[in-house]
Amino acid sequence: MEESYIEICTRLGVEARPEGWAIWNTWAMDGQPISLVLVDSGGTEGLLTNWSRGIEVYPVTPLPAQVVLTRQGWVTPMTLSPAGARRLGATRPTYQTLPMNPDASGGSASPAG
């Protein structure tokens, strides 16, 4: 991302904190892309490390207490899970960022990737 950590936090409407945030790109129950801001950055890092090695780690639904904010659209590049990459026929992680509506919030999450 081209923005600084402080700029991203400001844009998302969350306070910058030393331990950081995890941002998950996923889909709402109606199929719309959403971004989840989570407090568990360590667990997310472990999940992505496993996925980068082709290790499928599931389920990947965050606990409700971990979700701080939900936004419509993807606010960061997308990293596909191994299953998501196979489903789309991708051989490398696929990155896509959708415009974010800063006034929109809400939606429910389904498993990522």
Side-chain angles (χ1 to χ4, degrees):
M1 298 179 73
E2 295 178 16
E3 299 166 286
S4 72
Y5 174 64
I6 300 295
E7 290 169 332
I8 293 166
C9 288
T10 299
R11 180 167 57 101
L12 290 173
V14 295
E15 186 174 321
R17 58 188 203 135
E19 58 270 38
W21 300 99
I23 301 175
W24 285 19
N25 296 322
T26 189
W27 292 268
M29 297 301 282
D30 64 0
Q32 294 298 309
I34 60 172
S35 293
L36 303 176
V37 178
L38 307 173
V39 295
D40 184 19
S41 57
T44 299
E45 184 177 356
L47 179 70
L48 291 173
T49 298
N50 282 316
W51 284 1
S52 72
R53 295 179 179 146
I55 301 169
E56 297 187 37
V57 181
Y58 299 100
V60 291
T61 302
L63 299 172
Q66 295 174 312
V67 180
V68 174
L69 179 74
T70 302
R71 290 283 183 146
Q72 289 183 327
W74 293 330
V75 298
T76 62
M78 172 65 94
T79 300
L80 293 173
S81 68
R86 275 195 313 278
R87 189 170 51 246
L88 295 174
T91 57
R92 299 182 195 162
T94 303
Y95 301 101
Q96 178 182 10
T97 302
L98 297 177
M100 180 182 73
N101 178 351
D103 298 323
S105 177
S108 59
S110 62

